[in-house]
mmCIF file with all atom_site columns, all heavy atoms in Angstrom:
data_model
loop_
_atom_site.group_PDB
_atom_site.id
_atom_site.type_symbol
_atom_site.label_atom_id
_atom_site.label_alt_id
_atom_site.label_comp_id
_atom_site.label_asym_id
_atom_site.label_entity_id
_atom_site.label_seq_id
_atom_site.pdbx_PDB_ins_code
_atom_site.Cartn_x
_atom_site.Cartn_y
_atom_site.Cartn_z
_atom_site.occupancy
_atom_site.B_iso_or_equiv
_atom_site.pdbx_formal_charge
_atom_site.auth_seq_id
_atom_site.auth_comp_id
_atom_site.auth_asym_id
_atom_site.auth_atom_id
_atom_site.pdbx_PDB_model_num
ATOM 1  N N   . VAL A 1 43 ? 77.587 -115.080 93.639  1.00 63.00 ? 61 VAL A N   1
ATOM 2  C CA  . VAL A 1 43 ? 76.798 -115.622 94.762  1.00 63.00 ? 61 VAL A CA  1
ATOM 3  C C   . VAL A 1 43 ? 76.121 -114.491 95.529  1.00 63.00 ? 61 VAL A C   1
ATOM 4  O O   . VAL A 1 43 ? 74.957 -114.599 95.919  1.00 63.00 ? 61 VAL A O   1
ATOM 5  C CB  . VAL A 1 43 ? 77.703 -116.450 95.704  1.00 63.00 ? 61 VAL A CB  1
ATOM 6  C CG1 . VAL A 1 43 ? 76.921 -116.859 96.954  1.00 63.00 ? 61 VAL A CG1 1
ATOM 7  C CG2 . VAL A 1 43 ? 78.237 -117.676 94.993  1.00 63.00 ? 61 VAL A CG2 1
ATOM 8  N N   . LYS A 1 44 ? 76.833 -113.380 95.722  1.00 66.00 ? 62 LYS A N   1
ATOM 9  C CA  . LYS A 1 44 ? 76.268 -112.245 96.460  1.00 66.00 ? 62 LYS A CA  1
ATOM 10 C C   . LYS A 1 44 ? 75.030 -111.699 95.770  1.00 66.00 ? 62 LYS A C   1
ATOM 11 O O   . LYS A 1 44 ? 74.058 -111.297 96.418  1.00 66.00 ? 62 LYS A O   1
ATOM 12 C CB  . LYS A 1 44 ? 77.323 -111.145 96.609  1.00 66.00 ? 62 LYS A CB  1
ATOM 13 C CG  . LYS A 1 44 ? 76.892 -110.008 97.522  1.00 66.00 ? 62 LYS A CG  1
ATOM 14 C CD  . LYS A 1 44 ? 78.036 -109.012 97.723  1.00 66.00 ? 62 LYS A CD  1
ATOM 15 C CE  . LYS A 1 44 ? 77.629 -107.916 98.708  1.00 66.00 ? 62 LYS A CE  1
ATOM 16 N NZ  . LYS A 1 44 ? 78.734 -106.949 98.914  1.00 66.00 ? 62 LYS A NZ  1
ATOM 17 N N   . GLU A 1 45 ? 75.052 -111.696 94.438  1.00 61.00 ? 63 GLU A N   1
ATOM 18 C CA  . GLU A 1 45 ? 73.897 -111.209 93.681  1.00 61.00 ? 63 GLU A CA  1
ATOM 19 C C   . GLU A 1 45 ? 72.687 -112.120 93.855  1.00 61.00 ? 63 GLU A C   1
ATOM 20 O O   . GLU A 1 45 ? 71.544 -111.660 93.862  1.00 61.00 ? 63 GLU A O   1
ATOM 21 C CB  . GLU A 1 45 ? 74.246 -111.124 92.187  1.00 61.00 ? 63 GLU A CB  1
ATOM 22 C CG  . GLU A 1 45 ? 75.242 -110.023 91.845  1.00 61.00 ? 63 GLU A CG  1
ATOM 23 C CD  . GLU A 1 45 ? 75.586 -110.031 90.360  1.00 61.00 ? 63 GLU A CD  1
ATOM 24 O OE1 . GLU A 1 45 ? 74.942 -110.801 89.601  1.00 61.00 ? 63 GLU A OE1 1
ATOM 25 O OE2 . GLU A 1 45 ? 76.486 -109.261 89.969  1.00 61.00 ? 63 GLU A OE2 1
ATOM 26 N N   . LYS A 1 46 ? 72.937 -113.420 93.999  1.00 66.00 ? 64 LYS A N   1
ATOM 27 C CA  . LYS A 1 46 ? 71.852 -114.404 94.056  1.00 66.00 ? 64 LYS A CA  1
ATOM 28 C C   . LYS A 1 46 ? 71.300 -114.611 95.459  1.00 66.00 ? 64 LYS A C   1
ATOM 29 O O   . LYS A 1 46 ? 70.103 -114.775 95.657  1.00 66.00 ? 64 LYS A O   1
ATOM 30 C CB  . LYS A 1 46 ? 72.349 -115.749 93.507  1.00 66.00 ? 64 LYS A CB  1
ATOM 31 C CG  . LYS A 1 46 ? 72.756 -115.730 92.052  1.00 66.00 ? 64 LYS A CG  1
ATOM 32 C CD  . LYS A 1 46 ? 71.565 -115.556 91.136  1.00 66.00 ? 64 LYS A CD  1
ATOM 33 C CE  . LYS A 1 46 ? 71.977 -115.642 89.668  1.00 66.00 ? 64 LYS A CE  1
ATOM 34 N NZ  . LYS A 1 46 ? 70.823 -115.468 88.761  1.00 66.00 ? 64 LYS A NZ  1
ATOM 35 N N   . SER A 1 47 ? 72.193 -114.644 96.450  1.00 60.00 ? 65 SER A N   1
ATOM 36 C CA  . SER A 1 47 ? 71.756 -114.988 97.809  1.00 60.00 ? 65 SER A CA  1
ATOM 37 C C   . SER A 1 47 ? 72.691 -114.406 98.860  1.00 60.00 ? 65 SER A C   1
ATOM 38 O O   . SER A 1 47 ? 73.847 -114.841 98.967  1.00 60.00 ? 65 SER A O   1
ATOM 39 C CB  . SER A 1 47 ? 71.688 -116.509 97.967  1.00 60.00 ? 65 SER A CB  1
ATOM 40 O OG  . SER A 1 47 ? 71.459 -116.872 99.320  1.00 60.00 ? 65 SER A OG  1
ATOM 41 N N   . GLY A 1 48 ? 72.180 -113.448 99.614  1.00 63.00 ? 66 GLY A N   1
ATOM 42 C CA  . GLY A 1 48 ? 72.988 -112.828 100.660 1.00 63.00 ? 66 GLY A CA  1
ATOM 43 C C   . GLY A 1 48 ? 73.415 -113.803 101.732 1.00 63.00 ? 66 GLY A C   1
ATOM 44 O O   . GLY A 1 48 ? 74.542 -113.743 102.229 1.00 63.00 ? 66 GLY A O   1
#
Side-chain angles (χ1 to χ4, degrees):
V61 173
K62 188 175 183 180
E63 290 178 7
K64 297 291 184 180
S65 171

